[in-house]
Amino acid sequence: MKKILLFFVMTVCVSNFALAHTDFNERPKLVVGIVVDQMRWDYLGRYYDQFGEDGFKRLIKKGYSCDNCLINYVPTVTAIGHTSVYTGSTPALHGICGNDFFIDDDPVYCCGDKTVDPVGTDNRKKGCMSPRNLLATTIGDQIRLHTDFKSKVVGISYKDRAAILPAGRSSDHAYWLDTDNGQFITSTYYRTELPEWAKTYNEELKKNPELRRVGKDVGLYPLCGHITTDMAIAALKGEQLGKGKVTDMLCVSYSQTDVIGHKYSTRGEHTDEAYLELDKDIARLLKALDSQVGEGNYLLFLTADHGGAHNFQFMIDHGMNGGAWKTREIALNDQLNACLKEKFGDAVDHRSIINGFHGYRVFLNHGKIKSLGLDLEKVKEVLVEYFSQVPHVQFVMDFGKVNTWSVPDVLRSRALLGYHPHRSGDLFLVLEAGWYDFGRGSSPIGTTHSAWNPYDAHIPLLFYGWKVEHGSTSREVHITDIAPTVTQMLHIQQPNACIGEAIGEIVK
């Protein structure tokens, strides 16, 4: 009897080991990342009753929702958000410090690259793009590393940065829309010619009467989401994603929600239409994935790169705090110049020592300050004192001394995670809640983002498909937790600058 029992125990142990070994090497055929630009978390509830059954509701009802997903750095902008989703890191380490920023006094667009040529267009302004400024690997890079670069990773979006940065540095597929010619394009960083499936879809776009009607303003219409979805499905089929022996990845970003939000804010028929039409686009994409890869054979996540504030006038009209903070009129003005001249002489004004103001950060011109014989630390002290007196500024932080400043821990932490010493500027301003930068070209009925506040930093996070059980959690997780969750589910190494933690409720 004892021998029989021993044999039974050994058999169970060997079987469990075999199962564990098999599970460790099991992976989905395809990973799909969806980022909705400027989508606040509360939109899931706002539109829930109006959504159809096959889009957002399908992801919510059959997937797993992280209801308290926060962005854990500042500023909250598109390029940083997309990069942080896919690297599991923050600007301090992945180096994408804004849509626009400075590297050692030189102005930089996050994806600008003069060493490459456009493909699919003659427009160098739109086509000379690459991920060369990205300092870290992405989920897709790690998948390709793990499979000896046999996997295909494809990035699709209206915006160049929303296609390029998610796809990572090793991908040879990133496509974005040239609004001047109404075509999806790429650059020679990836390939010298568009693939046939992309050429075929571009020919269809030439015949699209609605696209011809709206032209360069396509981002202001749900049509932008429709053609992004069509392009993603064309890539899915054209590249035969999920059909090979290794795991592939498709990165899709919807940008029309951001363009419409900036123009019309968080309320109104335009925003409502954008999200209800997006729901249909997601349903179409899911249907195509089911057909091409098979339901249950792909792992999908949906999130946002940032949220958005309510329009300041809307808040004021309803008795709440808020306002338009006009940088040039309120902060960078003659009063500041008078202060600088008093402290440092007539040769100094804000135009001579300040390179720019991006994401509530002040970028100083270190070279100019040195050539003027000024002490950088003294200049920063004067500016901190000045900006601290500017109306509706709650805190001013010198990035170099952020650990010594008396500010709430959440602000200190997010400032540090957002700070790269050569790319993030020198000072960081925190405005009162509800106040936001209202620059030239801003819509009086629209909105913007970039702040630490929940309206900008609380984003949706849904997981769906392969090995994902239905459920939800209100536990705080972060945008940087997405990449380690996906890579742990795939049993591959995390991106090389990842600071996030795998979400245990998903990977259990």
Side-chain angles (χ1 to χ4, degrees), residues 233-361:
I233 294 173
L236 178 69
K237 295 177 179 179
E239 294 297 330
Q240 290 291 288
L241 300 179
K243 292 288 192 179
K245 295 181 179 180
V246 294
T247 301
D248 296 321
M249 186 166 193
L250 176 62
C251 312
V252 185
S253 180
Y254 290 101
S255 305
Q256 73 280 3
T257 44
D258 182 70
V259 182
I260 291 169
H262 279 292
K263 179 73 173 180
Y264 299 109
S265 190
T266 59
R267 294 289 187 268
E269 60 180 332
H270 296 285
T271 304
D272 294 348
E273 181 188 27
Y275 280 93
L276 297 182
E277 288 297 310
L278 174 60
D279 182 52
K280 297 174 185 176
D281 285 324
I282 290 173
R284 286 199 302 119
L285 181 58
L286 291 174
K287 184 177 180 180
L289 290 166
D290 290 344
S291 176
Q292 176 76 10
V293 187
E295 185 175 2
N297 289 329
Y298 57 90
L299 170 63
L300 180 149
F301 65 84
L302 182 148
T303 189
D305 54 348
H306 55 76
H310 290 307
N311 174 264
F312 70 88
Q313 191 60 53
F314 170 84
M315 296 292 281
I316 293 170
D317 290 346
H318 290 82
M320 288 175 274
N321 190 47
W325 198 78
K326 301 179 181 180
T327 309
R328 295 292 170 185
E329 295 177 21
I330 299 176
L332 306 179
N333 54 26
D334 291 340
Q335 187 175 347
L336 171 59
N337 286 335
C339 172
L340 292 173
K341 291 179 186 301
E342 179 185 348
K343 298 290 185 179
F344 304 112
D346 290 340
V348 181
D349 61 17
H350 73 74
R351 294 175 184 84
S352 64
I353 65 169
I354 296 178
N355 278 326
F357 190 98
H358 295 300
Y360 306 107
R361 298 164 302 174

Side-chain angles (χ1 to χ4, degrees), residues 381-446:
E381 288 175 10
V382 169
L383 289 173
V384 166
E385 181 179 0
Y386 173 81
F387 285 123
S388 296
Q389 306 303 314
V390 171
H392 308 293
V393 174
Q394 279 190 312
F395 301 101
V396 183
M397 288 183 276
D398 176 349
F399 277 122
K401 301 177 181 178
V402 68
N403 275 322
T404 67
W405 286 84
S406 298
V407 297
D409 288 341
V410 65
L411 298 183
R412 181 182 297 106
S413 172
R414 294 187 189 187
L416 284 170
L417 288 173
Y419 174 62
H420 186 287
H422 299 288
R423 300 184 174 196
S424 294
D426 300 271
L427 308 179
F428 174 57
L429 279 58
V430 180
L431 305 187
E432 294 174 359
W435 284 80
Y436 56 77
D437 192 13
F438 192 83
R440 287 174 291 183
S442 296
S443 168
I445 60 172

Side-chain angles (χ1 to χ4, degrees), residues 3 31 41 64 200 213 249 400 415:
K3 290 182 178 180
V31 177
W41 171 76
Y64 196 95
T200 299
R213 180 179 64 83
M249 186 166 193

Side-chain angles (χ1 to χ4, degrees), residues 72 87-90 92-93 417 480-481 484 494-501:
N72 52 346
T87 62
S89 191
T90 69
L93 298 171
L417 288 173
T480 49
D481 296 336
Q494 297 175 353
N496 61 11
C498 182
I499 64 167
E501 298 182 2

Side-chain angles (χ1 to χ4, degrees), residues 203-222:
E203 287 299 317
E204 294 179 21
L205 284 179
K206 290 179 182 178
K207 304 171 186 175
N208 188 313
E210 190 178 358
L211 183 56
R212 289 202 301 270
R213 180 179 64 83
V214 300
K216 295 181 181 180
D217 292 329
V218 61
L220 282 170
Y221 297 89

